[in-house]
Structure formats: structure tokens, C-alpha cells
Amino acid sequence: MKHLLKLGDLTREDILSILNLADQLKFERNNGINKEYLKGKQLGMIFQKASTRTRVSFEVGISELGGHPLFLSSHDLQIGRGEPVQDTARVLSRYLDGIMIRTFAQQEVEDLAKYGTIPVINGLTDYCHPCQVLADLMTIREYKGTFKGLKLAFIGDGNNMANSLIVGAVKTGMNIAVACPEGYEPDEKLVKWGKESGLLTVTHDVSEAMAGADVLYTDVWASMGQEGEKAERERVFSGFQINEKNIKGAKEDVMVMHCLPAHRGEEITEGVFEAHAKEIFDEAENRLHAQKAVMVKLMR
Ligand code: CP
Ligand code: NVA
């Protein structure tokens, strides 16, 4: 494992080994043990989109590991003025030990890895959000003890989160049902691959997806970069909400997850969100532990 560009590049064993290390790092942190696995290492963090969790958890994470974060906003970098990613990659490789990048096109992340000589970590693209799903898997295992036999239902847009959840679920052996409006399905190739595994179903019926689910997951109706489609999406997605009524179709001990930021009253009601705040904020915390594990694996 040289980079984390998308979950599809990782084997099941890679994923489980990251999750095991994440559990260990969480235990060490909670018990005041700090081994500074990445002492003196420099992590550059390129952001072409906004972020709260990803930015703060990577900054705190690399600092706790004994390394140093550099926050690189695309507004300030020459990349924002058109310097090619091939050149940026080769320059940054001379200074840094790793790069985390949040951007629009998946190709940009792939190119950074191709032309650079240091590990690249995908901190979200329009296509996927692997760091989030590693934290999600860690949280599911904490709450449920296993992946085997579980059913995860994703309600909403077939977006970056849906794409990564499909890969994460299939690789760990969970069943996954995606309920989305027609025309808003996840990536076609991933849907084909997921269906071939026998673990994925895609439906336009929310109650069908939620029936008997152990884990419910949702995300915003309009992702970053889709602000112009907000009104249209509010109309199309109005039935694609987790609420007090339809949650009754899931298992009684269902856990509810959200990558955040959440829009109460849209993809999830205030009541359901607050009733499941414990798991949602444990999930947010686990970003820190899961990403520390990724950095140790890639940069040590
Ligand atoms: N979930 C997530 O990636 O949050 P941010 O956009 O705040 O980083
Ligand atoms: N789908 C959302 C996820 C945010 C973490 C977006 O891309 O904006």
C-alpha cells in the first residue's frame, strides 16, 4: 500500500489492518500513551473545498504522531492559478513526506500520486471519500463487534459517500442497500461490481432499503460543488430522509450514521439525529484515529 487514492485499491486485509491499527492508536491516546510514530515527518494538506473534520483531524493527527501539518489552501497555492498538478507533485515531493488532498476530480489525486514520489491520501473527491469510510467501518465494528451478516442502508444521493460505502461494505462482507432517486445512482462501474458480489442492492424505494437494517447512513442532498442544483435537489430528494416514521422499518438496535455536515429537516430529522448523536459523534472522532493509522501505514 503506497497511497490511499480510493478504497478499491485496498485489499480486505489492508482495510482490516488499518482498522486494527486505528483501534490500537485510539487505545493508546485514551491511555496517555504517545509513541510519536511519525516524528519529524511533514504532511502537506491541499484543500480545494471547505472542511472542518478532515482538516482538523489530519492536523491534530499528524501533530500527535510527532509530525507537522502544512495547511495549503488552493486559494494561495499556484495550483489555484493553473500550475499543473504534475509540477506541483514533483515540487512538493522534494519538501514533504506525505500529501493529503481534497479536491473535485479524482484524476487530480491519481495524477498527484503518479507524478510525485511520496504517499498521497485522498481527503475527498467528487468520486469518493475513503478516509470517511475507514472511520465509518471502525465505528460500525465498535458498535456491532463484526461486519459479517450486517445490513447497511444508505439513503440519499449516489455520491462520493455512497461510492465509498459500497466498496467498504463489500470488502468487509456487509450487505449494503442504496436508496436514491432515479438518475442519482452511484457510479455505474461500482454498482456493477457491487451487484456481482451479491452484497449490493440499489433501489428507489426508501422503505425497501431500510427494512431490517443494522446501520442507517445518510448524507447531504447537494454536495460541495453542487450548490447551483440545491433547489432542484430539494425537490427530487424530498422523500429520501431518515425520520421517526421510516426508521421503524430498521432493526430496533439500528445505529444511525452521518459523515457530517448534516442538514436537519432535509436528509435527516432533528429528532433522529439527536437520538443517535452518540454514534454520529463517535464516528466523527474516529476520523482522527483512522487517519492516524493511514498515515502511520503510508509514511513510516
Ligand atoms: N465528513 C467530512 O469530511 O467533514 P468535513 O467536510 O468537515 O471535512
Ligand atoms: N457528499 C458530501 C460529503 C461531505 C463530507 C460532499 O461531497 O460535500
Side-chain angles (χ1 to χ4, degrees):
M1 200 181 134
K2 279 202 192 130
H3 305 282
L4 176 58
L5 308 180
K6 54 184 182 297
L7 278 187
D9 298 337
L10 271 50
T11 63
R12 173 187 160 82
E13 288 65 38
D14 289 333
I15 292 175
L16 294 177
S17 142
I18 291 169
L19 299 184
N20 293 342
L21 179 58
D23 286 348
Q24 181 196 323
L25 293 171
K26 183 169 184 172
F27 174 86
E28 288 177 3
R29 186 178 195 259
N30 288 344
N31 288 278
I33 304 164
N34 187 350
K35 298 194 181 156
E36 299 206 320
Y37 297 96
L38 295 180
K39 200 170 170 51
K41 302 274 187 187
Q42 311 282 343
L43 177 77
M45 309 189 310
I46 303 176
F47 281 93
Q48 312 236 31
K49 288 177 175 170
S51 169
T52 296
R53 281 143 289 270
T54 306
R55 177 182 175 176
V56 177
S57 56
F58 266 106
E59 277 206 27
V60 170
I62 187 72
S63 302
E64 287 185 357
L65 292 167
H68 179 76
L70 289 93
F71 175 72
L72 306 168
S73 160
S74 60
H75 299 298
D76 307 322
L77 291 176
Q78 296 288 8
I79 209 170
R81 295 180 56 246
E83 183 170 16
V85 72
Q86 299 93 299
D87 297 354
T88 306
R90 284 179 285 186
V91 170
L92 293 181
S93 294
R94 303 289 179 106
Y95 306 136
L96 301 170
D97 301 290
I99 306 175
M100 184 247 95
I101 176 165
R102 164 168 289 197
T103 189
F104 295 87
Q106 178 70 18
Q107 192 58 49
E108 195 174 335
V109 178
E110 307 272 344
D111 285 346
L112 204 53
K114 181 174 167 197
Y115 293 100
T117 53
I118 56 176
V120 173
I121 301 171
N122 182 340
L124 181 146
T125 59
D126 294 343
Y127 174 68
C128 66
H129 198 358
C131 290
Q132 178 67 52
V133 170
L134 288 170
D136 298 339
L137 293 171
M138 179 183 178
T139 314
I140 291 169
R141 198 168 68 164
E142 270 177 2
Y143 275 77
K144 300 289 181 189
T146 180
F147 297 115
K148 214 166 169 237
L150 295 182
K151 177 181 178 183
L152 184 154
F154 178 88
I155 312 300
D157 188 17
N159 61 13
N160 43 13
M161 281 310 314
N163 287 340
S164 285
L165 283 167
I166 289 172
V167 181
V170 169
K171 294 226 176 203
T172 56
M174 276 190 287
N175 293 289
I176 173 163
V178 174
C180 60
E182 236 178 300
Y184 293 84
E185 288 80 10
D187 178 78
E188 210 180 307
K189 275 197 202 142
L190 283 181
V191 169
K192 188 169 175 281
W193 172 83
K195 284 186 175 169
E196 279 166 8
S197 76
L199 293 167
L200 171 69
T201 53
V202 179
T203 170
H204 306 306
D205 181 342
V206 173
S207 50
E208 182 193 322
M210 280 169 79
D214 301 277
V215 183
L216 294 181
Y217 204 114
T218 191
D219 183 19
V220 292
W221 291 341
S223 287
M224 290 181 276
Q226 297 172 334
E227 289 77 9
E229 298 172 33
K230 199 171 179 302
E232 165 74 356
R233 283 173 171 267
E234 278 172 15
R235 189 183 61 72
V236 174
F237 281 90
S238 66
F240 290 80
Q241 181 190 63
I242 302 180
N243 56 45
E244 283 76 358
K245 196 166 163 230
N246 62 22
I247 199 173
K248 294 200 174 90
K251 290 235 176 86
E252 212 172 318
D253 64 347
V254 69
M255 64 186 287
V256 177
M257 305 183 77
H258 196 307
C259 56
L260 303 175
H263 291 187
R264 291 164 171 79
E266 294 186 13
E267 73 275 5
I268 191 164
T269 58
E270 167 91 25
V272 172
F273 184 92
E274 290 302 337
H276 292 272
K278 170 85 171 71
E279 52 259 35
I280 292 170
F281 292 102
D282 281 344
E283 176 188 7
E285 178 191 322
N286 284 340
R287 292 291 304 276
L288 173 66
H289 311 299
Q291 288 157 196
K292 281 170 79 176
V294 169
M295 288 189 280
V296 170
K297 291 267 180 208
L298 295 178
M299 292 168 64
R300 204 171 178 209

